Amino acid sequence: MLRDPQAVRAALDALSRDHLLRARRCVDGFDGDEAGAAPVVDGLARVNFCSNDYLGLARDPRVAAALIDAAKRWGAGAGAAHLVTGHTQAHHALEAALADFTGRESALLFSTGYMANLGVLQAFAGRGETVLQDRLNHASLIDGAQLAGAKLARYAHADVADAAHRLATAEAPVSVLATDGVFSMDGAVAPVSELAALAKRHGAWCMVDDAHGLGVLGAQGGGVAEAAGLGADDIPLLVGTLGKAFGSFGAFVAGDRDVIQFLLQRARTAIYTTAIPAAVAAATHAALRLLREEGWRREQLAARIARFRAGCAAQGIALTTSTTPIQPIVLGDATSALAASQALWDAGWWVSAIRPPTVPRGTARLRVTLSATHTDAQVDGLVDALAQALPDMAQA
Ligand SMILES: *Cc1c(COP(=O)(O)O)cnc(C)c1O
């Protein structure tokens, strides 16, 4: 327990000694107006290979214009929670569009994906029940089970047989089986068809957090659910975030009308919080239209991923089997990951090092992410820089 300022200082020193101290880099601006322009930090442009802006929508001028126009109409802040006076036509229209996009009856906005996951688990799990989760699920799903007061059981990563075993042997009945759609730190796609069938057989709710799949996977960008052809019958609780491929901010849950209605009654993270600004909802709506209409973004992204993987193979850089925009290079210890990230940074490339506890001990990594706005030359440049920066151990 931290009892005084000296204990806090000692804790910080220990983190620093273990190379686990986290720090932020402050972006001064961008090196140009185009959507893929490099962020400038400490006066130098750094090509960004670690954002979640997979489709290049975050700085699209049409999305920004929608934000500005809506801010003129609605102002900067919503002024209250959705259930009080904060719910506007802009929010309402976005919810309808997200329901349509995901092929669900209804959708409910949340301020963040973190809050959406807390809210869903609060509403659909409780004391005397178990929430069963993939071992590598996002922190917000783990926290959500604990906040709901449910027992947390975890199965081996993407291991359907282990999930089935734990479902059958759980002490308290499993109310929710939750998985990331695309795992945020390793890019793997969850076996959602099998998990959905398993949950159905056991009468548990299948919850999929598709923060990294929506907009990216599936012919129309409908994520892992679309790619696997799974409707609300199979995945009754579908969570999406709007700060990644949508390039905006916020999150939503999509499902049957009654499920969403129930969420609105029970999810404390939707009830006791200010609505996101209407202008943000309008910007997200504009981004959703672009995401649906401009399929070239997904095609270009797929081409960049393929090019990166081929380049790494040619240079002997070991990758995982991920086929998504998340392409980790696992280095092992935190020191190696930090050193590689720093060497890339010094050469003008921004690739973050991911360390425990975000990933399991001994699997610290560089988390490379690809975007539709990267050029072929940038992808090739990064591969060359990686070949220079990586310790020999990462070279196959
Ligand atoms: C990013 C992320 C979240 C959190 O979403 P925010 O809107 O950023 O709070 C939740 N789940 C997963 C899998 C994520 O990657």
Side-chain angles (χ1 to χ4, degrees):
M1 195 202 281
L2 300 175
R3 290 182 187 284
D4 53 35
Q6 282 86 343
V8 173
R9 184 70 252 164
L12 287 171
D13 289 344
L15 284 173
S16 181
R17 209 170 41 241
D18 296 341
H19 303 285
L20 293 175
L21 196 68
R22 297 166 187 259
R24 301 168 295 177
R25 299 206 193 265
C26 190
V27 176
D28 303 328
F30 290 86
D31 184 31
D33 288 333
E34 67 280 12
V40 175
V41 182
D42 299 335
L44 281 180
R46 321 278 176 168
V47 184
N48 187 348
F49 272 100
C50 54
S51 96
N52 301 315
D53 181 24
Y54 303 123
L55 300 177
L57 290 171
R59 299 187 70 244
D60 188 286
R62 290 162 292 179
V63 177
L67 183 93
I68 292 164
D69 288 348
K72 286 180 183 152
R73 175 168 176 202
W74 300 105
H82 282 273
L83 285 168
V84 186
T85 63
H87 191 64
T88 67
Q89 280 296 346
H91 299 99
H92 211 63
L94 174 60
E95 288 183 340
L98 288 167
D100 179 63
F101 174 59
T102 52
R104 269 48 178 180
E105 285 179 2
S106 201
L108 185 69
L109 285 173
F110 282 81
S111 296
T112 67
Y114 199 113
M115 290 167 72
N117 283 338
L118 297 187
V120 170
L121 289 170
Q122 253 179 1
F124 287 91
R127 263 167 242 295
E129 298 172 355
T130 300
V131 176
L132 182 58
Q133 304 207 19
D134 189 292
R135 191 163 282 287
L136 295 190
N137 271 356
H138 191 262
S140 54
L141 285 166
I142 307 296
D143 295 357
Q146 275 158 358
L147 190 64
K151 278 196 191 320
L152 173 63
R154 298 207 264 178
Y155 56 90
H157 180 42
D159 188 334
V160 180
D162 191 37
H165 171 70
R166 287 173 197 274
L167 250 174
T169 57
E171 269 174 50
V174 173
S175 50
V176 180
L177 191 171
T179 183
D180 282 18
V182 173
F183 289 88
S184 51
M185 294 303 140
D186 74 0
V189 178
V192 282
S193 299
E194 293 86 344
L195 292 171
L198 187 64
K200 204 183 271 183
R201 267 205 307 285
H202 284 80
W205 294 90
C206 179
M207 172 183 187
V208 174
D209 170 2
D210 205 15
H212 296 278
L214 277 164
V216 171
L217 302 183
Q220 307 300 319
V224 295
E226 186 201 346
L230 301 175
D233 229 28
D234 309 294
I235 302 174
L237 299 169
L238 178 63
V239 179
T241 63
L242 303 169
K244 287 161 184 163
F246 284 78
S248 179
F249 184 79
F252 67 98
V253 182
D256 283 348
R257 196 164 286 112
D258 283 351
V259 164
I260 298 306
Q261 185 58 243
F262 184 72
L263 258 185
L264 183 57
Q265 314 307 311
R266 287 293 169 81
R268 294 164 67 86
T269 53
I271 298 168
Y272 298 106
T273 197
T274 302
I276 54 170
V280 172
T284 308
H285 204 151
L288 173 59
R289 282 192 202 100
L290 295 176
L291 182 156
R292 297 187 81 168
E293 283 163 12
E294 299 185 345
W296 61 264
R297 290 176 187 273
R298 273 181 292 284
E299 283 159 29
Q300 201 154 300
L301 175 59
R304 299 298 180 266
I305 296 167
R307 190 178 185 94
F308 176 74
R309 290 187 63 82
C312 285
Q315 298 262 19
I317 298 166
L319 298 176
T320 67
T321 56
S322 165
T323 55
T324 66
I326 302 168
Q327 294 288 328
I329 299 165
V330 178
L331 296 173
D333 61 296
T335 323
S336 306
L338 277 182
S341 176
Q342 184 64 42
L344 290 169
W345 177 258
D346 293 340
W349 307 94
W350 195 346
V351 179
S352 57
I354 309 286
R355 295 163 280 168
T358 306
V359 292
R361 199 157 282 286
T363 70
R365 63 197 62 190
L366 292 174
R367 179 176 178 269
V368 173
T369 56
L370 283 298
S371 167
T373 56
H374 287 135
T375 63
D376 282 347
Q378 286 174 330
V379 172
D380 296 348
L382 176 68
V383 171
D384 288 342
L386 281 167
Q388 299 287 318
L390 290 179
D392 293 339
M393 54 190 274
Q395 314 247 332

